[in-house]
Amino acid sequence: MAKVKKAPRPKAQTPKGFRDYFGHEVRERTEMLSKIAGVYHRYGFEALESSAVETVEALGKFLPDVDRPNEGVFAWQDEDDTWMALRYDLTAPLARVYAEHRNDLPLPYRRFAMGPVWRNEKPGPGRYRQFYQCDADTVGAPSVAADAEICAMLADTLEEVGIPRGDYLIRVNNRKVLNGVLQAMGVTEEGQAANVLRTIDKFDKVGESGVRELLGKGRLDASGAYIDGVGLAPEQAEPVLAFLTSKGATNDETLANLRNAVGEAPVGAEGVDELAEIADLLAAQGYGPDRIVIDPSVVRGLGYYTGPVFEAELTFEILDEKGRKRQFGSVAGGGRYDDLVKRFTGQVVPATGVSIGVDRLLAALREKGRIVGSETGPVVVTVMDRDRMADYQAMVAELRQADIDPKDPSKGKIRAEVYLGNPKNFGNQLKYADKRNSPVAIIEGGDEKARGVVQIKDLILGAKIAENASLEEWKERPSQYEVARGDLVAKVREILEGQT
Amino acid sequence: MAKVKKAPRPKAQTPKGFRDYFGHEVRERTEMLSKIAGVYHRYGFEALESSAVETVEALGKFLPDVDRPNEGVFAWQDEDDTWMALRYDLTAPLARVYAEHRNDLPLPYRRFAMGPVWRNEKPGPGRYRQFYQCDADTVGAPSVAADAEICAMLADTLEEVGIPRGDYLIRVNNRKVLNGVLQAMGVTEEGQAANVLRTIDKFDKVGESGVRELLGKGRLDASGAYIDGVGLAPEQAEPVLAFLTSKGATNDETLANLRNAVGEAPVGAEGVDELAEIADLLAAQGYGPDRIVIDPSVVRGLGYYTGPVFEAELTFEILDEKGRKRQFGSVAGGGRYDDLVKRFTGQVVPATGVSIGVDRLLAALREKGRIVGSETGPVVVTVMDRDRMADYQAMVAELRQADIDPKDPSKGKIRAEVYLGNPKNFGNQLKYADKRNSPVAIIEGGDEKARGVVQIKDLILGAKIAENASLEEWKERPSQYEVARGDLVAKVREILEGQT
């Protein structure tokens, strides 16, 4: 063979904006998603795992703030010139799947989906181009009973993964109410409506008087710049201000305020009726406003939604980067969107659904101490005599076949491994056990073998003693035990039990 | 806004060679992978989920039969012109991850990975461009104890997912033995060696005499075409024939035959020693040749591997497409590869691992009746009075909060849903329940509501009766029960229990 010029070594790194997940990170997410899937399944939702790759044509241009079809996604051309792309969410693929398989799927079709999605965006700190989504949607159910069901399921889901009642609130609003408010204001022109919506979004920042100014002539902002107003007459602003301040002490009060805000607008009244129905359905199932509440301040990229919208907020406080207290905030949201399937079939198919922010919810569980963010490693059997590897392998086999707790097999079997690196330096073996966060190390040298015993080191206790104890205490509280070889499993069990 | 010309409707279909997975398909795979992860974890392996996207540079050109770097993969250019691609397996990413994070990872590093991989190949029947892999590898362990461990773990894994002992066999060979055979033959030239390997691969088809002819002058094949031979002298063929026929009744016999085949070649002797050590280590842990056996016929794309190679075969018989009996065949394989990390770091890092064919193993479990390939749906609460949706929602909430078996909460809670389609046509509701494979339907019309009762239909029994019973029997064996509303949960439990 001709000699090929040596290529330079490739760089060992992920592409920009991508990352790897190790050990407990994978396990914690898998366990959380498994609990969520359990709740969804109990509600009659079926799993769906659609292809990660879609045609650009099927994905469409539903990515927010993006106009060109393959902007914002990772796309390439197939050999037959078809443009393909990685999915950017789980909703666009659902629309494609439903349109493709609608004759075989039940109607309504309840499905959940969990998996990575990809966004071709500028990466930044904590901002990745591949991340997990976890969605549940009901396709083909026009009634708001479907929306109420999603909200109830979301509450059950949060409690199931470990967010206690009182630490979350699901807030529900309705896009139709806002449309009614616009009608009541006499705003019909699209551009003007968009300006009103943008102003509503600023309510949190500028308050009631600021919104009033911005809807009218305009306003001098904090930086001294003058912001042009929408140019409405003062009385036109009244419905939107009534809307923005409509949250009452009870759902009934809020609904009455909203009815007032939308006035005679039929779409607005319909929206309020729907919210009332959702509140009734949830009350019948025992979900009071301490868990799911009507709240007009929920906005959620309104362009996309056509009816009820909802958002799950975690209400417990955390410290932000600057040490200030703030609420943890949103971990899930969704709503009704009735036009996605229509792209494919020409027929309107009503749909409603929710998406959980997987990384956000995991972070919340870490905050609440529900997941510890680390994991105990395996028992490590060290190698004293390279020639007796078979003996050590027999030990780990014995440990792995033993229940951690013989009275409760559901706790699983003992996790164990033999040291497979170069055994020459024993210190390296203990360093390895330390790096693995191992609870116990087993030692059997030639002397032990001859006497039929093994040494068992309690590494957790050993570390504690090393950290806190005086030399005297150290000597008095041994963390290493010599037991008969036949008692290996029993002693390891005893130590593991003492550590938990 | 300017009126935009209406685009034609997009096609609702996956790109060629991609597919979706529905309901029980997702659940069965998830459950199988969860069991496998349990075994791997118990062996001290840690989960790793690497990025699905890698730089083409990092992936390299390790895809078999592919020379150009981005041939065989789905690749595209990032905005900074870096070529990126979807991973085509889980081994190339492991090498990148290990090289990138080697200072933080324990040495040896045992990891498992499960997830989709993508191949830019021509799709065909049953041949997809996205499929699951499930790998376990040990990086940085030079000793064959690591290979033996992988084989033992593979046996445990197969039993854990439901392949009983006796229905599988893990066969182990060693690339070094084959190198020894080539040395013993006096074959040193690369092209000639490759020709010999190709001939070995034909042993199953052409038998001993065929191999002899192909190694010599050549052979007339079944179609009448003359196949040129490798051109070796007759005595040169002896070692390879000794190798091909070396499988004995016991491991010891096989090892003795192999020693004979490799003669004086040092690399061959080393290979046989390693196989002997693997057999010893496995015997010490109780894995006899009924489960893991030395077998020189294992080849497995030898170019890639540098030491022991192994393959798990399922030995039970199935019927092929033409109704002929054949063994189920291979579901997993792997071996030692010592050069992958070197690409990045310049240093040789020994590694060994196994990859399970996820779809093959699922198919095997289906064959063995371990997974049924379908699933009982939820209890369906039908909607008789549209206005009483709250009543029906309360029923499903009650069912979902109830344990299937109060004496065994581990069985989970009752799966239930309310019908959310248009309730006007009651027949459609029962058709829906049928499509959902529901075990039970609940009916509460105005009359039942007034009398404080509900109707409960046993749909499984109903279907059985409809299929088999005469009209007389039909009348005598009702599959519908009227119970007090308060007894709803108890009666549903009773029916579900009777169905299992």
Side-chain angles (χ1 to χ4, degrees):
Chain A
M1 266 168 36
K3 201 134 196 175
V4 179
K5 210 176 153 190
K6 245 191 178 165
R9 278 184 206 147
K11 280 202 200 85
Q13 56 190 39
T14 53
K16 277 190 209 103
F18 290 87
R19 59 163 293 195
D20 307 310
Y21 294 84
F22 292 89
H24 67 87
E25 295 172 325
V26 179
R27 193 180 45 75
E28 285 159 5
R29 186 179 55 212
T30 305
E31 280 172 12
M32 186 183 83
L33 292 179
S34 162
K35 283 181 190 164
I36 295 175
V39 177
Y40 289 179
H41 187 256
R42 200 192 311 149
Y43 268 79
F45 285 67
E46 297 291 341
L48 168 67
E49 186 173 319
S50 65
S51 164
V53 179
E54 297 275 351
T55 64
V56 166
E57 181 192 3
L59 284 181
K61 45 174 182 175
F62 283 88
L63 202 56
D65 310 323
V66 164
D67 282 329
R68 277 191 296 136
N70 59 350
E71 193 176 300
V73 300
F74 293 109
W76 64 89
Q77 267 182 303
D78 201 1
E79 266 151 44
D80 66 1
D81 292 344
T82 308
W83 275 95
M84 305 158 89
L86 288 171
R87 64 184 179 205
Y88 57 80
D89 74 0
L90 301 172
T91 310
L94 170 62
R96 192 269 304 155
V97 167
Y98 185 80
E100 182 174 351
H101 300 281
R102 62 190 183 281
N103 294 329
D104 302 317
L105 292 171
L107 180 72
Y109 175 49
R110 290 176 175 94
R111 86 88 180 78
F112 66 90
M114 307 171 156
V117 301
W118 294 266
R119 300 270 171 96
N120 191 358
E121 293 169 348
K122 268 221 173 352
R127 203 180 144 106
Y128 294 101
R129 306 211 279 178
Q130 171 180 335
F131 54 91
Y132 263 72
Q133 286 196 337
C134 168
D135 286 21
D137 294 81
T138 301
V139 178
S143 144
V144 294
D147 304 275
E149 178 178 272
I150 297 265
C151 291
M153 186 166 77
L154 186 52
D156 284 11
T157 299
L158 292 174
E159 294 185 21
E160 180 80 18
V161 300
I163 305 291
R165 211 168 288 188
D167 268 348
Y168 69 89
L169 194 59
I170 296 164
R171 304 184 301 136
V172 186
N173 193 7
N174 195 332
R175 167 76 216 232
K176 288 181 185 170
V177 174
L178 201 72
N179 286 344
V181 169
L182 291 170
Q183 278 191 20
M185 295 166 77
V187 171
T188 51
E189 198 262 321
E190 267 194 52
Q192 202 175 43
N195 285 336
V196 173
L197 292 182
R198 263 193 289 276
T199 308
I200 288 175
D201 240 6
K202 292 185 187 149
F203 177 60
D204 278 352
K205 275 192 206 155
V206 301
E208 201 174 324
S209 65
V211 166
R212 230 179 259 279
E213 289 170 346
L214 285 171
L215 289 174
K217 287 184 192 150
R219 180 173 185 272
L220 211 61
D221 81 357
S223 71
Y226 192 83
I227 311 292
D228 282 337
V230 181
L232 300 179
E235 66 275 14
Q236 278 185 291
E238 287 318 314
V240 78
L241 283 159
F243 169 79
L244 286 170
T245 57
S246 58
K247 178 84 169 64
T250 64
N251 277 343
D252 284 345
E253 213 178 287
T254 306
L255 289 166
N257 291 340
L258 284 176
R259 263 186 225 294
N260 188 43
V262 298
E264 303 292 306
V267 66
E270 193 184 316
V272 180
D273 286 347
E274 287 181 1
L275 287 176
E277 194 181 338
I278 289 173
D280 283 350
L281 287 170
L282 290 169
Q285 295 171 74
Y287 298 87
D290 56 322
R291 293 202 270 167
I292 308 177
V293 68
I294 307 297
D295 187 337
S297 73
V298 178
V299 176
R300 292 201 64 75
L302 282 154
Y304 183 79
Y305 295 108
T306 56
V309 290
F310 23 89
E311 188 155 287
E313 222 164 79
L314 301 190
T315 52
F316 60 84
E317 286 185 331
I318 55 166
L319 298 178
D320 70 10
E321 317 79 56
K322 293 182 182 166
R324 289 170 306 204
K325 277 189 183 174
R326 63 166 183 83
Q327 285 207 343
F328 188 88
S330 174
V331 291
R336 178 165 287 275
Y337 52 96
D338 286 348
D339 293 331
L340 269 188
V341 177
K342 191 180 162 197
R343 287 182 61 233
F344 295 102
T345 64
Q347 291 174 310
V348 171
V349 179
T352 182
V354 68
S355 184
I356 291 178
V358 173
D359 289 321
R360 290 275 299 156
L361 187 52
L362 277 169
L365 295 178
R366 240 167 252 135
E367 283 286 343
K368 295 299 282 181
R370 291 298 168 140
I371 49 181
V372 292
S374 73
E375 163 171 71
T376 304
V379 172
V380 169
V381 174
T382 60
V383 174
M384 301 298 284
D385 297 326
R386 201 190 279 255
D387 296 342
R388 289 199 297 106
M389 187 54 96
D391 287 351
Y392 304 127
Q393 291 280 17
M395 280 187 206
V396 286
E398 208 178 310
L399 288 165
R400 278 183 207 130
Q401 281 154 24
D403 288 316
I404 293 172
D405 181 351
K407 278 167 284 174
D408 183 2
S410 77
K411 285 188 187 163
K413 298 185 189 288
I414 296 173
R415 196 179 180 208
E417 56 171 54
V418 70
Y419 181 72
L420 284 180
N422 185 339
K424 223 170 64 183
N425 181 333
F426 188 67
N428 279 349
Q429 299 199 42
L430 289 185
K431 270 185 215 151
Y432 171 84
D434 192 47
K435 195 153 200 171
R436 297 290 280 120
N437 203 15
S438 297
V440 170
I442 314 290
I443 304 160
E444 187 203 55
D447 167 58
E448 282 88 6
K449 174 76 180 172
R451 293 190 293 120
V453 298
V454 289
Q455 305 287 342
I456 305 186
K457 271 179 100 75
D458 180 337
L459 298 173
I460 308 285
L461 181 59
K464 265 191 209 149
I465 294 174
E467 207 171 295
N468 302 315
S470 68
L471 190 62
E472 288 308 298
E473 289 171 317
W474 179 295
K475 282 183 186 160
E476 272 165 32
R477 294 178 54 197
S479 61
Q480 183 167 330
Y481 314 90
E482 181 177 299
V483 302
R485 170 67 182 80
D487 295 334
L488 170 68
V489 167
K491 186 69 192 173
V492 168
R493 260 191 201 131
E494 186 192 312
I495 295 175
L496 292 177
E497 201 189 349
Q499 288 173 350
T500 53
Chain B
M1 268 168 35
K3 201 128 195 175
V4 178
K5 210 176 152 190
K6 246 191 177 163
R9 279 184 206 147
K11 281 201 200 86
Q13 56 191 40
T14 53
K16 279 190 207 102
F18 291 86
R19 58 162 295 194
D20 306 309
Y21 294 84
F22 293 89
H24 67 87
E25 295 172 326
V26 179
R27 193 179 45 75
E28 285 159 5
R29 186 179 55 212
T30 305
E31 281 173 12
M32 186 182 82
L33 291 179
S34 163
K35 284 180 189 166
I36 294 174
V39 177
Y40 289 178
H41 187 256
R42 200 192 312 150
Y43 269 79
F45 285 67
E46 297 291 341
L48 169 67
E49 186 173 319
S50 65
S51 164
V53 179
E54 297 276 351
T55 64
V56 166
E57 181 192 3
L59 283 182
K61 46 174 182 175
F62 283 87
L63 204 55
D65 309 324
V66 164
D67 283 328
R68 277 191 297 138
N70 59 350
E71 193 176 299
V73 300
F74 293 108
W76 64 90
Q77 266 182 304
D78 201 1
E79 264 150 47
D80 66 0
D81 293 344
T82 309
W83 276 96
M84 306 159 88
L86 288 172
R87 64 183 178 205
Y88 59 79
D89 73 1
L90 300 173
T91 310
L94 170 63
R96 192 268 305 155
V97 167
Y98 185 79
E100 182 173 352
H101 301 280
R102 63 190 183 280
N103 293 329
D104 302 317
L105 292 171
L107 180 72
Y109 176 49
R110 290 175 175 94
R111 87 87 180 80
F112 67 89
M114 306 170 156
V117 301
W118 293 266
R119 301 271 170 95
N120 191 358
E121 292 169 348
K122 270 223 172 348
R127 203 180 144 104
Y128 295 101
R129 306 209 280 176
Q130 171 180 333
F131 54 92
Y132 264 71
Q133 286 195 336
C134 168
D135 286 21
D137 295 80
T138 302
V139 179
S143 144
V144 293
D147 304 275
E149 178 177 272
I150 297 265
C151 291
M153 187 166 77
L154 186 52
D156 284 11
T157 299
L158 293 174
E159 293 185 20
E160 180 79 19
V161 299
I163 305 291
R165 211 168 287 188
D167 268 348
Y168 69 88
L169 195 59
I170 296 165
R171 304 183 302 135
V172 185
N173 194 5
N174 196 331
R175 168 76 216 233
K176 289 181 184 169
V177 174
L178 202 72
N179 287 343
V181 168
L182 290 170
Q183 278 191 20
M185 294 166 77
V187 171
T188 51
E189 198 263 321
E190 267 194 52
Q192 202 175 44
N195 285 336
V196 172
L197 292 181
R198 262 193 289 278
T199 308
I200 288 175
D201 239 6
K202 292 185 186 151
F203 177 61
D204 277 352
K205 275 192 206 154
V206 303
E208 203 175 324
S209 66
V211 166
R212 230 179 258 278
E213 289 171 345
L214 286 171
L215 289 173
K217 291 186 192 151
R219 181 173 184 272
L220 211 62
D221 81 357
S223 70
Y226 192 82
I227 311 293
D228 280 339
V230 181
L232 301 179
E235 66 276 14
Q236 278 186 290
E238 287 317 313
V240 78
L241 284 159
F243 169 79
L244 286 170
T245 56
S246 58
K247 178 82 169 64
T250 65
N251 278 343
D252 283 346
E253 213 177 288
T254 305
L255 290 166
N257 291 340
L258 285 176
R259 265 187 224 292
N260 189 43
V262 298
E264 302 293 305
V267 65
E270 193 184 316
V272 179
D273 286 347
E274 287 181 1
L275 286 177
E277 195 180 339
I278 288 173
D280 284 349
L281 287 169
L282 290 169
Q285 296 171 72
Y287 298 87
D290 56 323
R291 294 202 269 167
I292 308 177
V293 68
I294 307 297
D295 186 338
S297 72
V298 178
V299 177
R300 292 201 63 74
L302 283 155
Y304 183 80
Y305 295 108
T306 56
V309 290
F310 22 88
E311 188 156 286
E313 222 165 79
L314 302 191
T315 52
F316 60 84
E317 286 185 329
I318 54 166
L319 297 179
D320 69 10
E321 318 79 55
K322 292 183 182 165
R324 288 169 307 203
K325 278 188 183 174
R326 63 167 183 83
Q327 284 207 344
F328 188 88
S330 174
V331 290
R336 178 166 286 274
Y337 52 96
D338 285 348
D339 293 331
L340 269 188
V341 177
K342 192 180 162 197
R343 288 183 59 232
F344 295 100
T345 63
Q347 291 174 309
V348 171
V349 179
T352 183
V354 68
S355 184
I356 291 178
V358 174
D359 289 321
R360 291 275 300 157
L361 187 53
L362 276 169
L365 294 178
R366 240 167 252 135
E367 283 285 345
K368 295 298 284 181
R370 290 298 167 142
I371 49 181
V372 291
S374 72
E375 165 171 69
T376 304
V379 172
V380 169
V381 173
T382 61
V383 174
M384 301 298 283
D385 297 325
R386 201 190 281 253
D387 296 342
R388 289 198 299 105
M389 187 55 96
D391 288 352
Y392 304 127
Q393 293 279 17
M395 280 186 206
V396 286
E398 208 179 311
L399 287 165
R400 280 183 206 129
Q401 281 154 25
D403 287 316
I404 294 173
D405 181 351
K407 278 166 284 173
D408 183 1
S410 76
K411 286 188 186 163
K413 297 185 189 291
I414 296 173
R415 195 178 180 208
E417 56 172 55
V418 70
Y419 181 73
L420 284 181
N422 185 339
K424 222 170 66 183
N425 181 334
F426 188 69
N428 280 350
Q429 299 199 44
L430 290 184
K431 268 184 217 153
Y432 172 83
D434 191 48
K435 197 153 199 171
R436 298 289 280 120
N437 203 15
S438 297
V440 170
I442 314 289
I443 303 160
E444 186 202 56
D447 168 59
E448 280 89 6
K449 174 76 179 173
R451 292 190 293 121
V453 298
V454 289
Q455 304 287 340
I456 304 185
K457 271 178 100 78
D458 180 338
L459 297 173
I460 309 284
L461 180 59
K464 267 193 209 146
I465 293 174
E467 208 173 293
N468 302 315
S470 67
L471 188 63
E472 286 310 297
E473 288 171 316
W474 179 295
K475 282 183 185 160
E476 272 165 35
R477 295 177 53 197
S479 60
Q480 181 167 331
Y481 313 91
E482 181 177 298
V483 301
R485 171 67 181 79
D487 295 335
L488 170 68
V489 167
K491 185 69 191 175
V492 168
R493 261 190 202 132
E494 185 193 312
I495 294 175
L496 291 178
E497 201 191 348
Q499 288 173 350
T500 53

